[in-house]
Amino acid sequence: MYCVCKQHVELALDKFVDEYEDAPDMVNLKDTEFSDWDPPRKCDLCEAPAEFLVV
């Protein structure tokens, strides 16, 4: 699972496929609320705000 900014979506997709050998789902964090989990505020790969969840 990766929480990333728009700039790093493609890299996160590539990493997910390399690791799990399956196509991930992508969730826009601005449009989705989670009842039991608060997504990180920053991208996993830089300091920009996280915008997408790749799972």
Side-chain angles (χ1 to χ4, degrees), residues 16-17 20-25 55:
F16 187 96
V17 170
Y20 298 104
E21 298 179 357
D22 198 8
D25 290 321
V55 296

Side-chain angles (χ1 to χ4, degrees), residues 3 17 21-22 31-32 38 47 51 54:
C3 290
V17 170
E21 298 179 357
D22 198 8
D31 296 338
T32 307
D38 290 327
E47 295 296 312
E51 297 180 50
V54 178

Side-chain angles (χ1 to χ4, degrees), residues 2 13 16 22-27 52-55:
Y2 299 98
L13 292 171
F16 187 96
D22 198 8
D25 290 321
M26 199 164 86
V27 178
F52 297 96
L53 175 64
V54 178
V55 296

Side-chain angles (χ1 to χ4, degrees), residues 9-52:
V9 167
E10 189 173 330
L11 181 59
L13 292 171
D14 289 344
K15 287 178 122 186
F16 187 96
V17 170
D18 287 346
E19 186 173 340
Y20 298 104
E21 298 179 357
D22 198 8
D25 290 321
M26 199 164 86
V27 178
N28 187 329
L29 293 174
K30 292 181 181 181
D31 296 338
T32 307
E33 290 186 27
F34 301 94
S35 59
D36 294 337
W37 180 71
D38 290 327
R41 294 188 179 267
K42 296 192 181 203
C43 174
D44 290 343
L45 304 172
C46 72
E47 295 296 312
E51 297 180 50
F52 297 96

